[in-house]
Amino acid sequence: MNSRVPKTLGSRLSLWLALQSFFGLLAVCIAIYAATFYAFRSHQLEELAHKKGLLEHFASEALSTGDEKMLGHKLRDFKVGHSEFGLRVLRAEGTVFFEDVVPSATSQRRLIEFELASPVAGHRPFQVTLSQDIRKDQSLLERIAAALVFAALGGTLLVSCGGYLLVWLGLRPLRELSTQVQGLAADSLHRRLDGSNQPGELAPLVAQFNDLLARLDASYEHLEGFNADVAHELMTPLATLTSGAELALSSAKSVEELRDTLGSSLEDLQRITGIVQDMLFLSQADRGAVARRVHTPSLAAVVKQVADYHEAALEDAGLSLVVVGDAVGEFDVSLLQRALSNLIGNASRYASSGSEVRVLINSSSPNEVSIQVENRGSTIEPAALPRLFDRFFRADMARSNANRNHGLGLAIVAAIARMHGGRPIASSSEGVTKVGLVLGSSKTSES
Amino acid sequence: MKLLVIEDEVKLAEYIRRGLQEEGYVVDLAHNGIDGLHLAMESDYDLIVLDGMLPGIDGLGLLAALRQSKRTPVVMLTARVKVEDRVRGLQSGADDYLVKPFAFSELAARIQALLRRTKGPSEPEPVRLLQVHDLELDLIGRKATRCGQKLQLTVQEFGLLSLLMRHEGQVLSRTEIAAQVWDMNFDSNTNVIDAAVRRLRSKVDEPFHRPLIHTVRGMGYVLEARDE
């Protein structure tokens, strides 16, 4: 896609095929031409050698008579049957004894030179130049060459067209896939690519793409829902703010009443501020903020400190709190305090009066620590457990104390767990509910 | 005490000025970094409240320019909540740091603390005895009495009461109380503070004729002897 030439996979493959077939055919044609050329040449040389033998035979016959004229006759007879040959015989001193040559360019003749014994005794041998006219062979070769070039080009064209067609057919699944992808849009994320008649090479691609779509779809849904939740969550305090302000302005009010309205407005504003700050915290956690770890000698001590903070609230709810177990590691203490405060706050909200809230600390493995807050009360539906940590999710819409608690507390616990390279955990059965977090206890456990 | 507030949001700047004037400070305003820096360099302020995001010069840039010649204490206000930003702000010479949105009472408290710190080593002698109306707190002996009767307080309650008495007549926000008494530096579970104050009241106020701990709706709590 990103390379300039050629732009598509199809044209790229077609071009490669065309080039390959052209050069392949060219090589074959050159070989055929060369073979033909050498066959002709050796044939011509054989011919000349044969005629040379003939002339030597004449010379030896003439030698027995010792008559030059006789040789002349023989040479003329030879020429009669062999018009394509040219013959020139010079005496040793350079005078012409016999000459019969068709004038033509030397390039169109193949010639050999040799000596021929003179029939007259005591004479030095003749110098013979025997040439053969090869124009016929050459024009034949030219025709063959033309035919070969034509065959190469034609063959290339044929193979290219065939190749283009095959490539086009071969890429059909890819075209189908891209048509399918074009059909997807943000509002149809629930659709998936159909990989049923795709070749094996594309199957992993289709599977990965569908996985990606599924994840996108889920986050998109989540986001949509989240936006609706946020709007809904902000709507209540905004509505009371607005109506309170309108009421305060509608008629003359005493200073005391106005102060009360302002105070109530402040409470609403603090609630909105709390929601916005929690959302900012979550978005930072989502964007990969990690815990700033310091050596923490005792997790139980951190829990006790948070428990002290909740002392009065726990007492109000008629609850006692015990810490079981301890662990050491590197944690972000202020983040842990926040998570624990949310967990203990939740537990005290849902625990049955007079029961005991237990905070369980376990080092399940060398680099993992779990902290769970356990309370006795009503059992949470198994279906609701995994969603407990979703933003604004409330397992008990009816019981939620919306004034004090917007549904981000456990989402923040989950975020703090992830910031420590861990995960949130929750279980509930027979009236005992445990909610908590698993922490990577050192920097090395973070991915 | 003369303060300079550099804040580009006119409405917010005006509120801060009014609030600080009510606390008895003289307050100058600047709405952009360039005017702010000019004012800060020209006259001597006891403290500067500086917004981190300003038109002209941004807060950190202004701070760097100011620190080349002046040691005026600076409280930074910022909408950013990243710890790195906070560290950067403190490194580039801010003395304290407040994240928007903040409660005004908190800003006032920070300013007061910062002014106390920078006014040199004239730290008052550690107080041994706190007294408001007929309520007495012995910080050394860790004893609380009202009308001569000993009050049975837990460690948490004692800490909360001493904080309220130290800031007699000053409204303390729940966030501040959580930070000062329990060292919990996050905004949540305000009902936890309410429960703690309720329990303290049941011991300090209810048995007696005159309540000293008052709720200021939307702001927090204040301990003072009010006229009935």
Side-chain angles (χ1 to χ4, degrees):
Chain A
M1 288 289 168
N2 53 2
S3 69
R4 289 268 304 112
V5 213
K7 282 189 288 291
T8 67
L9 203 56
S11 57
R12 197 181 306 182
L13 284 171
S14 302
L15 183 76
W16 289 347
L17 269 174
L19 287 173
Q20 193 206 19
S21 53
F22 176 71
F23 286 115
L25 286 168
L26 197 66
V28 170
C29 292
I30 287 170
I32 291 174
Y33 180 82
T36 315
F37 175 83
Y38 283 108
F40 276 38
R41 185 166 169 268
S42 62
H43 180 250
Q44 289 154 7
L45 290 172
E46 272 171 27
E47 283 276 287
L48 286 168
H50 176 250
K51 298 302 177 252
K52 178 187 165 192
L54 202 60
L55 292 174
E56 281 170 342
H57 174 71
F58 292 158
S60 67
E61 274 190 339
L63 195 64
S64 60
T65 60
D67 186 2
E68 277 190 357
K69 278 203 179 78
M70 177 72 181
L71 182 61
H73 274 299
K74 288 272 185 200
L75 290 180
R76 261 191 297 280
D77 288 349
F78 166 81
K79 269 296 295 167
V80 169
H82 301 94
S83 56
E84 72 272 26
F85 288 94
L87 184 61
R88 187 178 186 198
V89 184
L90 299 180
R91 292 196 181 81
E93 59 270 21
T95 56
V96 177
F97 167 72
F98 179 89
E99 185 169 34
D100 184 351
V101 180
V102 182
S104 64
T106 48
S107 66
Q108 296 167 345
R109 312 187 67 76
R110 189 170 302 287
L111 46 88
I112 50 172
E113 290 179 341
F114 54 93
E115 289 182 348
L116 203 58
S118 168
V120 183
H123 275 224
R124 280 183 295 169
F126 296 125
Q127 295 295 324
V128 180
T129 308
L130 178 65
S131 62
Q132 187 187 9
D133 185 350
I134 54 167
R135 275 177 300 183
K136 269 189 194 158
D137 285 3
Q138 277 180 332
S139 72
L140 189 59
L141 260 180
E142 275 163 19
R143 280 205 297 280
I144 288 174
L148 285 173
V149 168
F150 180 77
L153 288 173
T156 301
L157 197 67
L158 215 63
V159 172
S160 301
C161 290
Y164 181 80
L165 194 71
L166 287 176
V167 166
W168 189 80
L169 286 173
L171 291 178
R172 183 187 288 170
L174 214 53
R175 276 198 306 282
E176 278 175 7
L177 212 57
S178 69
T179 314
Q180 283 191 49
V181 173
Q182 275 165 1
L184 297 171
D187 56 355
S188 63
L189 278 175
H190 56 277
R191 295 191 5 210
R192 297 286 176 272
L193 294 183
D194 173 23
S196 57
N197 40 18
Q198 294 292 348
E201 291 89 337
L202 290 178
L205 190 72
V206 173
Q208 294 249 340
F209 195 84
N210 280 339
D211 276 0
L212 186 68
L213 276 177
R215 285 202 298 275
L216 266 177
D217 195 13
S219 15
Y220 193 74
E221 292 269 316
H222 192 164
L223 200 67
E224 290 283 284
F226 182 58
N227 283 342
D229 287 337
V230 170
H232 182 81
E233 204 69 36
L234 292 175
M235 195 50 85
T236 317
L238 285 171
T240 52
L241 260 177
T242 311
S243 54
E246 281 173 348
L247 199 65
L249 291 172
S250 63
S251 58
K253 294 278 189 295
S254 69
V255 171
E256 210 43 52
E257 281 174 307
L258 287 176
R259 287 186 81 91
D260 197 53
T261 304
L262 281 174
S264 144
S265 302
L266 258 183
E267 282 171 356
D268 285 327
L269 286 168
Q270 279 158 4
R271 196 172 143 202
I272 295 171
T273 303
I275 294 170
V276 171
Q277 280 177 339
D278 283 355
M279 281 169 54
L280 275 174
F281 179 87
L282 286 172
S283 81
Q284 275 171 11
D286 283 350
R287 278 180 301 176
V290 289
R292 300 160 66 84
R293 294 170 179 271
V294 291
H295 182 69
T296 312
S298 164
L299 271 183
V302 177
V303 176
K304 285 196 180 85
Q305 198 191 357
V306 180
D308 282 346
Y309 177 50
H310 283 259
E311 191 186 72
L314 286 162
E315 196 181 278
D316 278 1
L319 301 167
S320 56
L321 185 142
V322 290
V323 185
V324 182
D326 196 359
V328 62
E330 300 201 324
F331 308 104
D332 186 323
V333 174
S334 68
L335 285 182
L336 279 194
Q337 286 176 340
R338 187 171 180 170
L340 286 163
S341 183
N342 288 351
L343 289 168
I344 293 172
N346 260 16
S348 55
R349 202 170 306 123
Y350 298 130
S352 24
S353 184
S355 66
E356 188 179 63
V357 173
R358 303 202 304 157
V359 184
L360 316 166
I361 303 170
N362 279 309
S363 304
S364 41
S365 75
N367 50 8
E368 273 197 346
V369 175
S370 75
I371 309 173
Q372 296 185 84
V373 179
E374 177 195 279
N375 71 276
R376 302 193 160 272
S378 52
T379 308
I380 300 173
E381 290 294 312
L385 276 179
R387 298 190 51 208
L388 218 50
F389 299 96
D390 285 358
R391 295 161 194 199
F392 297 116
F393 177 76
R394 293 199 185 93
D396 54 336
M397 287 303 184
R399 270 207 317 179
S400 82
N401 176 356
N403 282 328
R404 284 283 175 229
N405 152 51
H406 52 78
L408 290 175
L410 287 183
I412 283 175
V413 171
I416 288 170
R418 283 193 297 271
M419 286 162 92
H420 281 86
R423 61 190 182 277
I425 41 175
S427 62
S428 183
S429 64
E430 291 163 21
V432 177
T433 300
K434 292 185 199 173
V435 186
L437 62 176
V438 174
L439 303 166
S441 60
S442 67
K443 295 178 181 111
T444 51
S445 61
E446 264 159 46
S447 50
Chain B
M1 287 285 184
K2 197 164 145 204
L3 309 186
L4 171 64
V5 174
I6 309 172
E7 163 63 64
D8 59 317
E9 283 178 47
V10 179
K11 218 170 160 182
L12 178 61
E14 195 50 46
Y15 283 137
I16 293 175
R17 176 165 73 175
R18 258 195 263 161
L20 289 173
Q21 279 171 343
E22 280 175 20
E23 300 263 326
Y25 299 108
V26 178
V27 184
D28 287 349
L29 274 190
H31 292 304
N32 63 59
I34 293 157
D35 294 354
L37 184 59
H38 179 75
L39 278 173
M41 300 299 273
E42 287 304 297
S43 49
D44 282 320
Y45 291 99
D46 294 295
L47 184 140
I48 297 171
V49 178
L50 172 63
D51 182 21
M53 302 272 279
L54 287 170
I57 316 173
D58 83 317
L60 288 177
L62 191 151
L63 196 55
L66 179 74
R67 280 287 173 263
Q68 290 181 346
S69 56
K70 287 208 173 216
R71 291 286 328 139
T72 319
V74 170
V75 178
M76 285 272 274
L77 306 178
T78 176
R80 296 183 195 146
V81 280
K82 273 199 191 147
V83 182
E84 299 87 89
D85 287 339
R86 182 181 178 137
V87 171
R88 257 182 50 203
L90 293 174
Q91 274 174 347
S92 53
D95 301 88
D96 205 344
Y97 202 92
L98 215 53
V99 175
K100 289 180 186 176
F102 51 86
F104 178 78
S105 57
E106 183 144 1
L107 176 66
R110 299 281 185 102
I111 288 174
Q112 220 176 47
L114 199 51
L115 286 172
R116 258 207 311 274
R117 272 211 311 257
T118 52
K119 286 303 158 211
S122 58
E123 279 288 308
E125 278 295 297
V127 188
R128 193 203 138 92
L129 201 70
L130 292 169
Q131 188 175 17
V132 178
H133 189 55
D134 54 359
L135 173 65
E136 284 185 3
L137 208 61
D138 176 357
L139 293 174
I140 309 294
R142 302 197 73 77
K143 280 206 305 274
T145 52
R146 187 160 183 191
C147 290
Q149 294 179 35
K150 193 164 185 302
L151 305 175
Q152 294 297 331
L153 300 180
T154 64
V155 177
Q156 320 293 333
E157 287 161 351
F158 191 90
L160 177 55
L161 186 58
S162 67
L163 178 76
L164 286 165
M165 286 179 81
R166 271 204 202 91
H167 296 87
E168 183 196 349
Q170 214 181 84
V171 181
L172 295 172
S173 71
R174 292 174 177 83
T175 311
E176 224 170 324
I177 292 171
Q180 298 280 345
V181 180
W182 289 277
D183 196 20
M184 294 286 150
N185 298 296
F186 49 87
D187 285 354
S188 69
N189 288 312
T190 49
N191 57 326
V192 173
I193 303 289
D194 293 343
V197 173
R198 235 189 343 266
R199 208 172 55 169
L200 182 65
R201 270 183 174 146
S202 69
K203 293 178 180 179
V204 174
D205 280 346
E206 278 170 27
F208 302 95
H209 169 60
R210 197 172 175 184
L212 292 176
I213 300 170
H214 308 278
T215 307
V216 182
R217 195 165 177 197
M219 304 249 313
Y221 296 99
V222 60
L223 187 143
E224 62 189 352
R226 290 182 178 173
D227 300 328
E228 294 295 300

